[in-house]
């Protein structure tokens, strides 16, 4: 079998090509993906005249919103966590925009605040990744037809941050992700449409006293007319003098 003089050159070139591809794969960064701490679950309980929001913020996310470890000892004490509640309320009121039935609605104050670990224990921020449930209640004076929401805090949280919202309305559950590229969503409840197709309530019968009052008037009129007719056509009694013409 004849061998070409180019065979060693081709083999050397192929080996160098494979080596270069391997080195390039090692140098290039892998595609970025979101860390679980970058994802904030949000449960939205939808009722006819009320919304209840429950954010589950990790301490990793809260630390991007505001300083948590004031004394820089890498431990988060219960007092330090409670101290950030007013600042967190102001931050969320500024960056969580809500409109109910196309009317701007304030987020209000925190209704409940529940750390998801024993509250008396300090948390080591270097090793533990804990979360806090934060509740808001938004009542509405009218039936909620639609609820629009937008998050403007993604520049503070980073490009990989997201809010994974779960709208729960009765037995209906719908997942909606909020991201830096899709920060808003409008949810239609359908309550207004249901009201249009509801059967009108049956008319209540008239009060019974009106019925008897009307009949009593008719009876009195009938008796009066009967009496007048009797007087006109009454026959003279026996023995009574005949009336002169």
């Amino acid at each position: 079998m004849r061998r070409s003089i180019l065979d060693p050159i081709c083999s050397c070139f192929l080996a160098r090509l494979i080596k270069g591809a391997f080195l390039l794969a090692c140098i290039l960064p892998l595609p970025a993906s979101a860390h679980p701490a970058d994802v904030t679950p949000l449960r939205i309980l939808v009722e006819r005249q009320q919304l209840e929001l429950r954010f589950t913020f990790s301490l990793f996310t809260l630390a991007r919103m505001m300083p948590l470890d004031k004394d820089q000892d890498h431990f988060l004490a219960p007092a330090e966590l409670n101290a950030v509640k007013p600042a967190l309320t102001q931050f969320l009121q500024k960056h969580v925009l809500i409109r109910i039935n196309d009317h701007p609605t304030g987020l209000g104050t925190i209704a409940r605040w529940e750390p998801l670990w024993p509250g008396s224990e300090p948390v080591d921020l270097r090793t533990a990744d804990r979360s806090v449930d934060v509740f808001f209640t938004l009542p509405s004076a009218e039936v909620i037809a639609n609820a629009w929401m937008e998050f403007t805090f993604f520049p503070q949280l980073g490009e990989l941050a997201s809010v994974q919202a779960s709208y729960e309305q009765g037995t209906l559950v719908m997942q909606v992700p909020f991201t830096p590229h899709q920060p808003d969503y409008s949810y239609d409840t359908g309550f207004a449409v249901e009201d249009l197709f509801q059967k009108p309530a049956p008319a209540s019968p008239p009060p019974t006293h009106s019925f008897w009052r009307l009949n009593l008037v008719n009876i009195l009129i009938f008796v009066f007319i009967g009496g007048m007719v009797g007087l006109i056509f009454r026959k003279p009694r026996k023995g009574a003098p005949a009336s002169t013409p």
Side-chain angles (χ1 to χ4, degrees):
M1 180 177 180
R2 297 180 59 185
R3 300 181 61 183
S4 171
I5 192 173
L6 297 177
D7 287 347
I9 299 176
C10 293
S11 300
C12 182
F13 176 76
L14 182 60
R16 290 186 177 183
L17 182 63
I18 295 174
K19 183 178 180 180
F22 176 77
L23 292 176
L24 185 63
C26 294
I27 294 173
L28 291 178
L30 294 175
S33 59
H35 188 274
D38 290 313
V39 179
T40 298
L42 168 61
R43 175 180 177 266
I44 305 173
L45 182 60
V46 182
E47 299 179 358
R48 290 182 63 84
Q49 291 183 267
Q50 178 175 287
L51 297 179
E52 183 184 85
L53 280 61
R54 184 192 67 191
F55 294 91
T56 302
F57 291 115
S58 68
L59 297 182
F60 176 83
T61 299
L62 289 179
R64 291 187 172 184
M65 295 179 179
M66 63 204 61
L68 297 180
D69 188 13
K70 294 294 183 66
D71 55 9
Q72 301 295 317
D73 64 349
H74 304 293
F75 284 89
L76 182 65
E80 289 178 308
L81 180 62
N82 290 328
V84 304
K85 188 186 297 186
L88 177 62
T89 301
Q90 294 179 2
F91 181 88
L92 295 178
Q93 288 174 344
K94 179 180 179 181
H95 293 287
V96 180
L97 310 180
I98 298 176
R99 290 203 300 261
I100 295 179
N101 296 345
D102 300 323
H103 300 296
T105 303
L107 188 61
T109 58
I110 295 177
R112 291 208 316 274
W113 168 276
E114 297 179 359
L116 302 183
W117 71 88
S120 59
E121 298 180 3
V123 177
D124 189 345
L125 297 175
R126 296 167 296 183
T127 59
D129 186 13
R130 305 295 177 88
S131 299
V132 179
D133 277 347
V134 181
F135 294 81
F136 291 89
T137 302
L138 283 70
S140 174
E142 56 186 12
V143 174
I144 299 175
N146 58 76
W148 174 87
M149 187 177 302
E150 180 181 5
F151 297 98
T152 63
F153 51 41
F154 289 116
Q156 288 87 342
L157 302 187
E159 284 293 320
L160 299 180
S162 67
V163 175
Q164 298 295 326
S166 174
Y167 288 86
E168 300 181 12
Q169 180 179 338
T171 58
L172 175 65
V173 178
M174 186 172 68
Q175 305 291 334
V176 177
F178 293 84
T179 65
H181 304 290
Q182 294 179 334
D184 68 310
Y185 181 77
S186 181
Y187 178 83
D188 293 325
T189 66
F191 288 139
V193 178
E194 291 178 2
D195 292 344
L196 292 177
F197 289 95
Q198 284 183 350
K199 294 182 179 180
S204 57
T208 55
H209 63 272
S210 298
F211 172 79
W212 290 111
R213 183 182 302 169
L214 181 62
N215 284 344
L216 180 60
V217 172
N218 292 336
I219 292 172
L220 292 176
I221 294 175
F222 179 77
V223 170
F224 175 76
I225 295 175
M228 294 299 295
V229 171
L231 290 175
I232 295 173
F233 296 98
R234 185 178 61 179
K235 294 181 179 181
R237 292 180 298 175
K238 291 182 179 181
S243 59
T244 58

